[in-house]
C-alpha cells in the first residue's frame, strides 16, 4: 500500500513520537514518500501503531551468521519489500491521498554495507537437542513385553529345557530372546556320562551376556548370585583354603584339573615336593590342591599340591625341631651328596649337613667314598643356628663324633721326642705328610726335611718312601703331629742319652741302696764305727 506525499496528510512526523528503533525489515515514511531502513543500537518495545509489520521479516538470515556480529554481505541478496501499514498511526485519515508508485526494492547489503548487526539483533536461545533414542531397542523391548519374552541379566536364575547337545556346549530354551549356552561338561556326571537329555528340564544361572547386543546368554549350573563357584574359588584363593579337584588331563607340563566345572592347571613342579616323572598315576584321581593364582574371574587358575604337602611337613617339623639340640643323637636319611658334604633328612624335610671333615676321623676326599643317597645314618648334632627359620636354618651334623676318638691312643703312643719310621703319603709345597700308623698322619714342614734349603719336598723325598722321623710336637687342640727328618738323629741321640742317664741314675740309686745296707750290717757287727 502506498503512502500519501501531501503535506496535509494527517500522518505527520512531527506529530508522532520519534522512532527509536526499527529492524532491517521495517520501513517508515519520512514525509517525502521515500522508504528507508532505520537501525538503532537497542531494540526497545515499540508502540504497535508505529512501524509495526504484519508480514514476517524475510531479509534476516541468521543461519548465514552464526556469530552475533555479521559484517559479510549476504551471498544471495533479498529485496526489501515496502511495509503496509496495518492501521492508522495516531488519527484517522480525513481525505484520500494520491497514490505514490511503489518504491524500488532496496537490498539490505546496499542500504547498510558496513553496519554491525551484533548490537541490533538478539537471537533467541537455541533449545538443546533432544537425546537420541534407539527406536529399534524400544521396539524390541516393546515386542518382548508384548510377546512374553523373558528379559534376563547376569546372576539371574532361569528354568528351561535342554534343546540341543554338543561336544563343547549345549543349548537351553528358557523363554528368552535366544537360547542360553551352557558348557557340556557341566551336564555330565562324575563318571563322565551325560546326565541330561534333550527335552529334560534344567535350572541354571546367567553368568554372562555376550555379543554386540547382549543377545548371547551364557549359563552355568554351578553359579548363583555373584558367580558362586568363581566367588568361592576366589575366597579360597585369598584365604589359602584347600580345595578338591579331579585330574581330567595329563601332559608333560602338568595336570588339568576340574574344579566343579571350572578348569584349572597344576604345573609339574607343583605336583609334589620332588620332581615327578610319571604323571599318569594321577589321572582320574581326586586330590586336594591350593590355589596359587586366580585371574580373569576364574578363567586362569593355577593350583599347587606341593604347597599343601610342604605345609603338612612344616607342621610335623615342629616336633622334629623340638628334638634338635647340640649333642643330640638322631637318625636320618642321606638325601644328596656334594663335594663339601652330605645332606641328611632328619624327618619332615628338616635337613642337616655333615661336612666332609665330619664323616670320619681320617681324611675323606669326597662324601661318595663313604655314603650313598638313601643310606640311613646315625649322626650327632654339633651346632644349631636359626632353628625354625626355613631359609636361615643351619644344622651341623657329625658322624665321626659317634665313633671313638683315636687321638686318645695317639697321645699315648706318639709322645714328644719319640723317633719312629713312617711312609711318605703326600707332597705339598709347604711339606710332606707321613703316615705313622693306620689313620695316623703327621706333617713334616719343608724346613724340617734337610739341613740345607729345600725348594720343594720332592727334591728330598718321594711318595711311598720310608723315612725316620722324630715327633717334635703333639698338638692336642688341633689334633696334629709335627714331625722332622733332619732332627731325627739328633733327637734320637738325645733320647738315647737321656735314657742312658736315666738308667745310670737308677743303677746308682740301686747301688747306693745296696751299699747302705752293707754298711748297716757291718756297723751292727761292730766291725766299723
Amino acid at each position: 500500500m502506498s503512502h500519501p506525499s501531501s503535506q496535509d496528510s494527517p500522518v505527520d512526523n512531527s506529530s508522532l513520537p520519534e522512532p527509536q528503533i526499527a529492524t532491517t525489515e521495517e520501513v517508515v515514511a519520512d514525509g517525502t514518500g521515500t522508504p528507508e531502513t532505520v537501525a538503532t543500537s537497542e531494540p526497545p518495545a515499540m508502540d504497535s501503531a508505529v512501524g509495526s509489520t504484519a508480514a514476517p521479516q524475510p531479509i534476516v538470515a541468521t543461519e548465514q551468521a552464526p556469530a552475533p556480529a555479521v559484517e559479510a554481505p549476504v551471498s544471495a541478496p533479498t529485496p526489501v519489500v515496502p511495509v503496509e501499514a496495518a492501521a492508522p498511526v495516531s488519527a484517522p485519515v480525513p481525505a484520500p491521498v494520491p497514490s505514490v508508485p511503489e518504491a524500488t526494492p532496496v537490498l539490505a547489503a546496499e542500504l547498510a554495507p558496513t553496519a554491525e548487526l551484533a548490537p541490533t539483533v538478539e537471537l533467541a536461545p537455541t533449545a538443546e537437542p533432544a537425546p537420541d533414542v534407539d527406536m529399534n531397542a524400544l521396539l524390541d523391548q516393546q515386542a518382548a513385553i508384548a510377546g512374553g519374552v523373558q528379559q534376563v541379566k547376569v546372576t539371574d536364575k532361569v528354568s528351561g529345557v535342554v534343546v540341543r547337545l554338543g561336544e563343547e556346549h549345549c543349548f537351553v530354551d528358557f523363554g528368552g530372546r535366544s537360547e542360553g549356552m551352557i558348557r557340556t561338561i557341566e551336564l555330565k556326571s562324575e563318571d563322565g556320562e551325560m546326565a541330561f537329555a534333550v527335552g529334560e528340564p534344567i535350572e541354571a544361572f546367567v553368568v554372562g551376556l555376550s555379543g554386540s547386543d547382549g543377545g548371547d546368554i551364557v549359563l552355568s549350573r554351578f553359579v548363583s548370585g555373584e558367580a558362586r563357584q568363581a566367588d568361592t574359588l576366589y575366597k579360597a584363593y585369598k584365604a589359602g583354603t584347600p580345595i578338591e579337584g579331579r585330574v581330567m588331563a595329563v601332559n608333560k607340563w602338568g595336570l588339568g584339573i576340574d574344579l566343579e566345572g571350572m578348569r584349572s592347571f597344576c604345573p609339574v613342579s607343583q605336583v609334589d615336593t620332588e620332581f615327578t616323572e610319571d604323571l599318569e598315576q594321577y589321572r582320574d584321581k581326586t586330590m586336594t590342591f591350593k590355589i596359587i593364582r586366580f585371574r580373569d574371574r576364574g578363567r586362569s587358575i593355577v593350583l599347587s599340591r606341593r604347597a599343601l604337602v610342604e605345609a603338612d611337613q612344616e607342621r610335623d617339623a615342629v616336633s622334629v625341631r623340638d628334638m634338635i639340640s647340640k649333642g643330640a643323637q638322631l637318625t636320618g636319611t642321606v638325601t644328596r651328596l656334594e663335594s663339601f658334604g652330605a645332606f641328611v633328612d632328619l624327618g619332615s624335610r628338616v635337613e642337616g649337613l655333615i661336612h666332609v671333615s665330619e664323616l670320619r676321623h681320617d681324611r675323606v676326599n669326597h662324601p661318595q667314598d663313604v655314603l650313598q643317597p638313601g643310606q640311613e645314618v646315625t649322626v650327632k648334632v654339633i651346632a644349631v643356628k636359626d632353628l625354625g627359620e626355613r631359609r636361615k636354618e643351619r644344622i651341623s651334623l657329625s658322624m665321626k663324633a659317634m665313633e671313638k676318638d683315636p687321638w686318645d691312643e695317639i697321645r699315648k703312643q706318639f709322645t714328644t721326642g719319640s723317633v719312629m719310621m713312617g711312609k711318605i703319603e703326600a707332597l705339598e709345597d709347604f711339606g710332606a705328610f707321613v703316615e705313622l700308623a693306620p689313620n695316623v698322619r703327621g706333617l713334616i714342614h719343608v724346613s724340617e726335611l734337610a739341613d740345607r734349603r729345600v725348594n720343594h719336598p720332592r727334591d728330598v723325598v718321594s711318595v711311598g718312601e720310608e723315612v725316620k722321623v722324630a715327633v717334635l710336637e703333639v698338638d692336642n687342640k688341633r689334633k696334629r703331629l709335627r714331625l722332622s727328618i733332619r732332627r731325627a738323629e739328633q733327637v734320637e741321640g738325645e733320647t738315647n742319652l737321656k735314657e742312658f742317664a736315666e738308667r745310670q741314675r737308677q743303677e746308682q740309686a740301686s747301688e747306693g741302696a745296696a751299699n747302705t745296707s752293707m754298711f748297716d750290717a757291718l756297723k751292727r757287727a761292730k766291725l766299723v764305727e
Side-chain angles (χ1 to χ4, degrees):
M1 180 176 180
S2 301
H3 294 274
S5 59
S6 173
Q7 296 180 355
D8 299 331
S9 173
V11 181
D12 192 350
N13 293 336
S14 61
S15 62
L16 296 175
E18 185 177 356
Q20 299 297 324
I21 185 169
T23 62
T24 55
E25 296 86 5
E26 293 177 328
V27 181
V28 296
D30 60 352
T32 58
T34 304
E36 293 184 7
T37 302
V38 181
T40 62
S41 59
E42 278 182 287
M46 295 177 59
D47 194 330
S48 61
V50 180
S52 63
T53 59
Q57 303 172 1
I59 67 170
V60 178
T62 59
E63 64 274 5
Q64 295 181 359
V70 180
E71 298 183 2
V74 182
S75 59
T78 305
V80 179
V81 182
V83 181
E84 294 182 0
V89 177
S90 59
V93 180
V97 295
S99 63
V100 181
E102 294 182 357
T104 304
V106 180
L107 297 179
E110 295 178 356
L111 292 176
T114 60
E116 294 184 0
L117 300 181
T120 61
V121 179
E122 289 187 358
L123 300 178
T126 306
E128 295 183 359
D132 295 336
V133 179
D134 190 351
M135 298 303 297
N136 293 331
L138 293 177
L139 291 176
D140 292 343
Q141 183 178 2
Q142 187 66 24
I145 296 174
V149 177
Q150 183 177 358
Q151 300 293 321
V152 296
K153 64 181 182 299
V154 177
T155 71
D156 284 352
K157 182 178 181 180
V158 297
S159 299
V161 295
V162 179
V163 295
R164 189 173 20 158
L165 301 177
E167 294 183 359
E168 294 291 334
H169 296 88
C170 299
F171 295 89
V172 177
D173 183 7
F174 60 91
R177 294 180 54 189
S178 61
E179 298 172 349
M181 180 174 62
I182 188 172
R183 293 193 301 172
T184 303
I185 192 174
E186 297 189 22
L187 305 184
K188 293 183 178 181
S189 58
E190 294 184 358
D191 56 1
E193 298 295 331
M194 185 63 68
F196 292 83
V198 175
E200 290 189 3
I202 187 174
E203 291 185 350
F205 301 89
V206 180
V207 296
L209 302 175
S210 59
S212 59
D213 57 350
D216 298 336
I217 301 173
V218 182
L219 304 177
S220 175
R221 291 179 57 210
F222 305 103
V223 179
S224 65
E226 297 180 358
R228 182 178 63 187
Q229 185 60 23
D231 184 63
T232 302
L233 295 179
Y234 181 75
K235 291 179 179 178
Y237 164 67
K238 284 297 185 181
T241 306
I243 57 173
E244 286 189 353
R246 185 179 180 186
V247 180
M248 303 299 294
V250 176
N251 55 36
K252 64 180 181 180
W253 294 284
L255 307 176
I257 312 298
D258 175 39
L259 301 176
E260 296 185 2
M262 300 193 70
R263 294 182 179 179
S264 57
F265 178 70
C266 179
V268 63
S269 62
Q270 298 296 324
V271 175
D272 206 342
T273 54
E274 298 179 357
F275 180 76
T276 305
E277 295 182 357
D278 183 19
L279 296 178
E280 286 293 335
Q281 58 181 320
Y282 300 108
R283 185 184 292 273
D284 296 330
K285 288 186 177 180
T286 300
M287 298 188 297
T288 305
F289 301 91
K290 179 182 178 181
I291 301 177
I292 59 176
R293 188 174 72 183
F294 188 95
R295 295 180 179 176
D296 300 333
R297 296 184 179 180
R299 296 183 181 90
S300 176
I301 302 177
V302 179
L303 307 178
S304 173
R305 179 175 172 268
R306 175 180 179 177
L308 298 180
V309 175
E310 290 180 345
D312 293 338
Q313 293 177 347
E314 190 65 27
R315 286 191 293 269
D316 297 337
V318 176
S319 59
V320 175
R321 291 189 176 94
D322 291 340
M323 299 185 298
I324 297 176
S325 61
K326 186 176 181 180
Q329 297 182 7
L330 304 172
T331 301
T333 304
V334 178
T335 56
R336 67 182 188 275
L337 302 176
E338 301 292 344
S339 60
F340 52 84
F343 288 92
V344 179
D345 182 9
L346 301 176
S348 301
R349 303 287 293 180
V350 179
E351 285 190 340
L353 173 65
I354 306 176
H355 194 266
V356 65
S357 62
E358 295 293 333
L359 292 174
R360 285 183 178 177
H361 289 284
D362 56 336
R363 181 180 177 83
V364 178
N365 294 324
H366 196 282
Q368 65 185 4
D369 300 336
V370 181
L371 301 174
Q372 297 295 328
Q375 180 179 346
E376 186 172 323
V377 294
T378 301
V379 295
K380 184 177 182 179
V381 181
I382 58 176
V384 178
K385 181 180 180 181
D386 297 328
L387 187 63
E389 299 182 16
R390 174 67 71 174
R391 296 184 179 275
K392 298 181 180 180
E393 186 177 74
R394 298 291 183 270
I395 304 174
S396 299
L397 308 175
S398 176
M399 289 178 59
K400 73 178 185 180
M402 302 295 297
E403 302 174 354
K404 183 179 179 181
D405 190 357
W407 188 254
D408 297 336
E409 296 295 331
I410 292 174
R411 284 198 299 265
K412 297 177 182 179
Q413 183 179 357
F414 303 97
T415 59
T416 302
S418 60
V419 180
M420 62 201 66
M421 297 297 296
K423 184 173 67 175
I424 302 297
E425 186 180 57
L427 298 178
E428 300 292 344
D429 295 339
F430 51 84
F433 288 94
V434 180
E435 183 180 10
L436 302 178
N439 299 328
V440 179
R441 294 172 180 80
L443 173 65
I444 305 175
H445 193 266
V446 66
S447 63
E448 297 292 336
L449 290 173
D451 293 332
R452 56 184 175 85
R453 179 181 176 81
V454 179
N455 294 325
H456 195 279
R458 62 174 172 265
D459 299 336
V460 180
V461 294
S462 59
V463 177
E465 181 181 353
E466 293 283 342
V467 294
K468 181 187 289 187
V469 296
V471 179
L472 300 181
E473 182 184 2
V474 179
D475 189 348
N476 293 321
K477 184 177 182 180
R478 296 188 294 175
K479 298 181 179 181
R480 293 179 181 179
L481 295 175
R482 190 162 66 90
L483 309 177
S484 175
I485 292 179
R486 73 181 181 86
R487 289 196 283 178
E489 297 294 339
Q490 179 183 354
V491 171
E492 185 178 17
E494 293 177 354
T495 302
N496 294 336
L497 182 60
K498 288 180 181 180
E499 292 178 354
F500 175 76
E502 182 66 22
R503 284 196 303 269
Q504 188 177 15
R505 187 185 64 79
Q506 292 177 357
E507 291 176 359
Q508 290 177 354
S510 300
E511 292 177 357
N515 293 335
T516 302
S517 300
M518 182 63 67
F519 179 76
D520 291 340
L522 293 174
K523 188 175 181 181
R524 284 193 301 271
K526 297 181 180 181
L527 296 177
V528 294
E529 292 181 359

